[in-house]
């Protein structure tokens, strides 16, 4: 067994019968000092006697392990019941009443609200799970940025249905964050691969055919040499969309304030046509570069389940873009007509927002599987999770989630012991005790939630 396991996760213990039995807490308390911790030079017995438990300590432990979790479950149940009542009773009632009065915008607003109030808690659950298991800050900060995309898109689209006059400005917020998320995803892939230098070295050994393109792209870009040139071409090919997205969003806001921008208008004097052409070319090339990067790195990232991550990004950013573009085309050719108290232009603006509110629910659920917090748990917990997934038991839900390891020595034979936080031995032979360094740098202990939140905004 490697000696590079973090000391914070190890508590060593030697026993002449280590191969056939494990020490118990009673042995430690009774004064058997054969079980000791060489990290601080003191035995478990001395530690126990030097730190006797008091009634106050027992009450504090009881409060922490019983009362607080029980209170948390009660509050969670109350919030869940309230949310269910609002989603399935209150909002549908408002939607029906608004429909009876012919208020199209309010009807769509209340229906979309049902989906948003389900979507946001699901997304927040995934975000919180990462924040309380912040073992890989350099990777998870990108994950949380991506996960925030769903609630931001949902809430922005929901507000756009009700505050219709402010819709262009609310949409600008969504599009700017969309650009931010796409750039974060590119750096997320690079970080998972060990950084730019390591990824460039890995790509240098790849098949040169991965850098070859079809006639159209080859005529403009030529073939890409594998290694750093390939990586930089893919990286900047995606990030150019981020640049154009920011610029065009600012231009649209300025033109809209001057009443010089009208969606769905096609003509030589229409600013919409030129901006639509630029963005379609830009997003098409960005999608091509993203797929090319995936094909070149899928083997290195296979343990991270990359296909679902790529599909989530392409589904939210690229599919919603072309969905909005298609609706504007249908409006310009007269397919979309007015409905209720909305004219055709208002329907063309409100329909994409309404569809996004519905679609984000599916992406919120998909994010739980594409970006699970279990991918970034500590080495021991990931092995524990792997064992559970193979039918070994529900250990992650037990109090033994935070573990330390020890080893006994009998006739030069090493035996690994697992201790919980109370120094009780856990007889768990399911966990693979062979240490394998993670491919991504991780912490021995997770950051606090507050520090984790701050690190999400760090470059």
């Amino acid at each position: 067994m490697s000696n590079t396991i973090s000391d914070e996760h190890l508590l060593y213990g030697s026993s002449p019968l280590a191969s056939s039995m494990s020490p118990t807490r009673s042995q430690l308390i009774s004064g058997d000092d054969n079980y000791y911790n060489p990290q601080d030079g003191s035995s478990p017995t001395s530690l126990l006697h030097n730190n006797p438990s008091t009634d106050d300590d027992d009450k504090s432990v009881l409060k922490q392990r019983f009362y607080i979790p029980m209170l948390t479950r009660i509050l969670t149940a109350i919030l869940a019941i309230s949310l269910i009542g609002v989603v399935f009773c209150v909002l549908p009632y408002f939607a029906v009443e608004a429909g009876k009065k012919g208020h199209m915008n309010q009807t769509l607003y209340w229906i979309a609200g049902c989906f948003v109030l389900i979507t946001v808690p699901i997304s927040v659950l995934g975000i919180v799970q990462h924040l309380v298991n912040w073992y890989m800050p350099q990777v998870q900060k990108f994950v949380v940025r991506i996960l925030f995309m769903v609630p931001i898109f949902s809430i922005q689209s929901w507000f756009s249905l009700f505050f219709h006059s402010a819709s262009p400005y609310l949409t600008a917020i969504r599009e700017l964050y969309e650009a931010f998320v796409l750039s974060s995803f590119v750096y997320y892939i690079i970080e998972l691969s060990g950084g730019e230098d390591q990824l460039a070295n890995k790509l240098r050994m790849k098949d040169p055919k991965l850098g070859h393109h079809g006639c159209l792209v080859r005529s403009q870009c030529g073939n890409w040499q594998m290694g750093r040139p390939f990586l930089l071409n893919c990286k900047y090919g995606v990030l150019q969309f981020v640049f154009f997205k920011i610029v065009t969003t600012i231009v649209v806001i300025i033109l809209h304030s001057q009443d010089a921008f009208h969606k769905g208008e096609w003509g030589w004097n229409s600013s919409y046509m030129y901006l639509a052409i630029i963005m379609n070319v830009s997003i098409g090339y960005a999608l091509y570069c993203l797929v090319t990067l995936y094909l070149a790195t899928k083997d290195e990232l296979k343990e991270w389940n990359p296909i679902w991550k790529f599909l989530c990004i392409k589904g939210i950013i690229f599919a919603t873009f072309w969905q909005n573009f298609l609706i504007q085309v249908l409006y310009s050719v007269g397919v979309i007509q007015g409905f209720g108290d909305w004219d055709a232009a208002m329907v063309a603006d409100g329909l994409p927002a309404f569809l996004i509110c519905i679609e984000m629910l599916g992406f919120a659920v998909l994010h739980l599987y594409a970006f699970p917090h279990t991918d970034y748990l500590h080495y021991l917990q990931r092995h524990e999770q792997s064992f559970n997934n193979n039918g070994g038991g529900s250990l992650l839900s037990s109090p033994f989630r935070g573990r330390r390891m020890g080893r006994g020595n009998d006739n030069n034979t090493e035996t690994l012991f697992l201790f919980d936080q109370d120094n009780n031995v856990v007889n768990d032979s399911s966990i693979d005790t062979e240490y394998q360094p993670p491919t991504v740098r991780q912490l021995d202990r997770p950051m606090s939630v507050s520090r984790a939140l701050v690190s999400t905004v760090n470059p």
Side-chain angles (χ1 to χ4, degrees), residues 104-388:
M104 179 64 180
N105 60 331
Q106 294 185 23
T107 302
L108 292 180
Y109 178 77
W110 296 122
I111 294 175
C114 295
F115 288 91
V116 173
L117 291 183
I118 299 174
T119 299
V120 172
I122 295 176
S123 297
V124 170
L125 173 62
I127 293 171
V128 170
Q129 286 177 330
H130 279 277
L131 293 178
V132 299
N133 294 280
W134 203 255
Y135 287 99
M136 299 183 183
Q138 294 302 317
V139 173
Q140 286 179 281
K141 67 180 181 180
F142 297 120
V143 176
V144 170
R145 293 172 187 175
I146 294 170
L147 295 180
F148 265 114
M149 181 168 53
V150 168
I152 289 176
F153 276 37
S154 297
I155 295 173
Q156 176 274 323
S157 299
W158 190 24
F159 285 178
S160 295
L161 291 173
F162 195 77
F163 305 103
H164 192 76
S165 60
S167 177
Y169 305 102
L170 293 173
T171 302
I173 296 174
R174 187 191 74 202
E175 292 182 345
L176 290 175
Y177 192 79
E178 179 181 290
F180 176 66
V181 166
L182 188 59
S183 64
S184 296
F185 183 73
V186 173
Y187 287 107
Y188 168 71
I189 296 300
I190 293 174
E191 193 66 33
L192 279 184
S193 304
E196 280 198 20
D197 293 337
Q198 289 192 30
L199 181 55
N201 291 332
K202 295 174 183 177
L203 291 173
R204 191 177 295 113
M205 308 301 294
K206 295 284 185 176
D207 186 351
K209 291 183 179 180
L210 291 171
H212 295 175
H213 310 292
C215 296
L216 180 61
V217 178
R218 186 172 64 248
S219 64
Q220 301 297 321
C221 305
N223 292 327
W224 297 343
Q225 179 184 353
M226 298 306 296
R228 189 172 295 275
F230 179 90
L231 174 60
L232 293 179
N233 278 300
C234 289
K235 174 183 174 181
Y236 293 127
V238 177
L239 294 182
Q240 56 81 25
F241 169 73
V242 175
F243 170 78
F244 283 112
K245 190 71 170 178
I246 295 173
V247 172
T248 55
T249 299
I250 296 173
V251 171
V252 167
I253 293 176
I254 295 173
L255 293 176
H256 188 271
S257 64
Q258 302 297 322
D259 197 26
F261 181 80
H262 304 284
K263 287 185 177 181
E265 287 189 357
W266 297 89
W268 297 111
N269 297 325
S270 172
S271 58
Y272 173 80
M273 184 186 74
Y274 296 106
L275 292 176
I277 292 174
I278 291 173
M279 289 310 303
N280 273 279
V281 173
S282 176
I283 198 172
Y285 183 64
L287 178 60
Y288 175 81
C289 292
L290 198 61
V291 172
T292 303
L293 180 62
Y294 164 72
L295 294 176
T297 58
K298 62 180 182 180
D299 291 336
E300 285 75 19
L301 300 177
K302 61 183 179 181
E303 63 176 304
W304 302 99
N305 198 17
I307 183 63
W308 290 108
K309 295 175 172 58
F310 278 89
L311 288 177
C312 284
I313 293 297
K314 289 189 287 185
I316 296 180
I317 296 180
F318 299 106
T320 55
F321 173 85
W322 277 309
Q323 173 182 271
N324 190 15
F325 178 74
L326 177 61
I327 290 174
Q328 296 302 324
V329 171
L330 294 176
Y331 163 70
S332 64
V333 298
V335 174
I336 294 180
Q337 302 294 327
F339 184 75
D341 58 345
W342 278 11
D343 58 23
M346 296 175 71
V347 172
D349 287 339
L351 185 58
F354 179 73
L355 292 177
I356 287 175
C357 289
I358 298 175
E359 293 162 350
M360 288 303 109
L361 175 58
F363 283 112
V365 175
L366 187 58
H367 272 181
L368 294 178
Y369 295 94
F371 298 95
H373 72 284
T374 52
D375 284 351
Y376 313 97
L377 293 176
H378 192 269
Y379 162 76
L380 293 178
Q381 292 175 309
R382 287 205 304 275
H383 276 276
E384 207 171 24
Q385 179 67 44
S386 176
F387 171 67
N388 295 337

